[in-house]
Structure formats: C-alpha cells, structure tokens
Amino acid sequence: MLNLHKIHPFTFPDNFIWGSATAGHQIEGDNVNCQWYHQELANTDPEFEPSGKACNSWELYKEDVELLKALGHKAYRFSIEWSRIEPEKGRHDIAALDRYIDLLERLKAAGIFTCVTLWHFTHPQWFEAGGGFSKAENLDHFKRHIEFLVPKIAHLVDSWCVMNEFNLGPFTQECFNSKKISLKAHAFGAQAIKSFSQAPVSSAHAYVPRVPLRKYDELDNAAAAMQNWNHNLFFFHAVRTGEIVLPGIDMEYLPELKNSCDYWAINYYHRGIVDSRKADLTGYKFDFNSYQMLKDFTMPREFCPETFVHEMSRLTDKPVWITENGCCTETDTFRIIYMMLQFEAMREAMELYKVDIRAYFHWSLLDNYEWGNYHPKFGMVSVDRETFVRTPKPCTEFYREVIEKNGYSGEMFARYTPELSHFDLGEFTRRVKTFARETQN
C-alpha cells in the first residue's frame, strides 16, 4: 500500500534548478526546411498527422516566455532548429537567428535559466539528403553550424545539450553505426561549444532501463543486459573512458569523448521489459503496475519510481540533471501523482546512493506535436488546436508550489488531490481499471 498524503516533507539543495522543456519542431510549427517535415509530407498513413503549425510558438514565443514567468518556472530547456538557421547549405537566415536571440534575451530578462539543445531529432533537409549522421564526413557540417551559432548566443545560455536521445533506435548495424557517429558529433560539438562558452555541456540521454520479464531467468537477464548496453551503458562508458564499444564495430578510442559531459542529462519516463522468448525481445508490463492514461490510445506507462532510484546508482560520478520527465494523460491527477512519485524517487536516490541531482525539467510545458499526432498529452498547459490559446492545467499550481518551496510534502500533495483523500495503491488500481472499462464501453 502507498499513501502519498503521508510522505514526509523534503527540501532540495539550494540553487536547485526547476523548469520545463520543449523541442523546436514539436512546438514552433511550419518548420519546413527540416528532414522531419519532408518525411511528414511523404507519409501516406491515414492515421498519421503532420506537425503543421504545432503550438505556433514560432509566432507566440513571447507569450510562452510570459507563461513561464506566470507559472513560476525558473528554467527552460528548448532547442534551436538548425534548419531555420541554415535552411540551405552555406546560407544563413539572420532573421531566424535574431528571433532566437530575442527569445533568449526575454528569458534572461525574466530571470529564467536557459538550457539550449542544438539537435533535438531534427536537422536541415540538405544535411539529410547528404546522409546526415550516417556518414562521418558530414560531422564537419554540424561542427561548422555550432561554430557559427554558439558565439552569437553564448552570453545568453546557461547550459547546453549538444544532442538529444541519439542512444535510441533499433538493434541494427545501421543504427549502431549511427550511434558511433553521433557520439563523435557530441564530442566534437562539446569541444566546439567549450571554445566559446564556460556554461556546462552535456547531451540528453533517453534512459530507458531494460529489466527482465522473469527476474531470475538467465536468458531474460542476458537479453536485458545486452539491451541495456546497446541503449544506455555504451554512452556512459564512452564519456567516462573515450571508448566507443558497440556490437559489430571494433572498439574505437576517441580522446575528445572522455569527460565530454559536465553533467549527466537524463530524460527519464519509464522502463522497458525484456522477454527473451519474443523475437523483438519486447515484454509486457504487469497489469498491476501499468495504467492506460489516455482513452483510445495504446501507450501504457508505469508508475515505477523504484527503477529510477536503482538506475541512478550508476551515475554517482557527475551531477545529474533530469532534463525530461513526465507522462501523457488527459487526467491531470495522474500527472500530479506521477510528478510526486518522481520527486520522491529523486529524494531516495540522493539519500540512498548520494546521487548529486541538481535540476528537474518537466516534459512538457505545452501539449505539443508527438512525432505523428497530437493525441499524447504531455503538457502542463493545454493548447487549443485552432486558436493556439494556452490554458494551464491544475498540475501547474502544484508544480509552482514545489518550485516556491524547493520541495514537497504529503500535505501539499493532498491539497491538490482531494479526491484521493484515502488513497492507496491497491484502491487506485481498482479505480483505474474501473475507469478504463467504463471509457472503453
């Protein structure tokens, strides 16, 4: 049984960074010169939805800054679209650059800590047409972009993420080769940034721990260990040692990789279950621990903070920033519960394993484009699909108080979830299953 109303108060260290995160292509709209936009145009799946104007943040970025201020956020992680800065090879759009500079200046004027991501899944179509990050010779283009952009904004940037979640992808030789090249892009990008900026640098890592479906099954454990290396641990090993070690590729030592991260930038949402009896190794989530948070959409996620606690024990050698964390749900109470459990898991990791967690960025500020449709609702603020009017959800008040107090308590949680006045996990599970049955009928 779990009663979140009884959780003891906890205060985070002084100068803890509290904020939210977004990505350019997912909120800006009309990002017509990037490879994702071209892929959207070519997609013929009737269920697929293109990004279109997304949240129209390219036009409404000033409003977004005011929203961040009004909600009490102290930090903002966002990405700068390379395809807007260099829409054609060798041609720079100074008006687009000035727009990003204005965004940064407004954030700084508002006292908001800035974390800039330089590659969040998207890059110019011309770069993609030349092979993108599948060809090592293309790294010069990325480095040249960084050397053009960073000196012009470095005085306005408090921290950097070179790349976002390049550790993801299928278990194919092509993907492993791309990860190898992306490690080099991160290393050379970090090196280039440091020649212009003293702000801390990292790359955001999608930490999806792989755990065996059958805890004591040797084959499940072996498969999970291999998946963990190929998805997660290869990255930490490379940054710690300079060694690139991936299946089917001879080990390569790259001195620029070693200590190329000043902090571990962790995007954490859920874990992956590994079933060695399945061809794709994908196991199912236990019913008692997974919840269908969205009607008519297959994206079951778990409330499993314990996995986060244990995985953080691997990351005690550098400061840890949670650069993304959240859940997709139309029921905001779910989001508040998820946040509360995450904060408690962070406390546990800090106390049990002495993990130096220094920042938390909630994903996402807005209900944004989720790479194929707008159905998943990760945002703390809803966005009208026609008018783009932003409407804060109840969780924003909960998060505001967490930020103001630099901590949380069961009493605080109880005030924002009065419907769960006698909450325990068993009762909650029953309620969720009843709700799911009713909404599916």
Side-chain angles (χ1 to χ4, degrees), residues 413-426:
F413 174 79
R415 283 189 279 107
Y416 292 96
T417 57
E419 69 274 30
L420 302 178
S421 58
H422 300 291
F423 172 74
D424 64 60
L425 191 59

Side-chain angles (χ1 to χ4, degrees), residues 295 431-441:
K295 291 183 290 184
R431 290 187 188 185
V432 169
K433 289 185 176 181
T434 298
F435 174 77
R437 286 195 298 269
E438 291 175 349
T439 55
Q440 289 170 5
N441 292 335

Side-chain angles (χ1 to χ4, degrees), residues 212-226 274-277:
L213 176 62
R214 307 163 187 85
K215 185 173 183 179
Y216 301 111
D217 182 88
E218 290 188 9
L219 196 54
D220 278 3
N221 275 274
M226 180 58 76
V274 178
D275 184 356
S276 61
R277 276 65 170 179

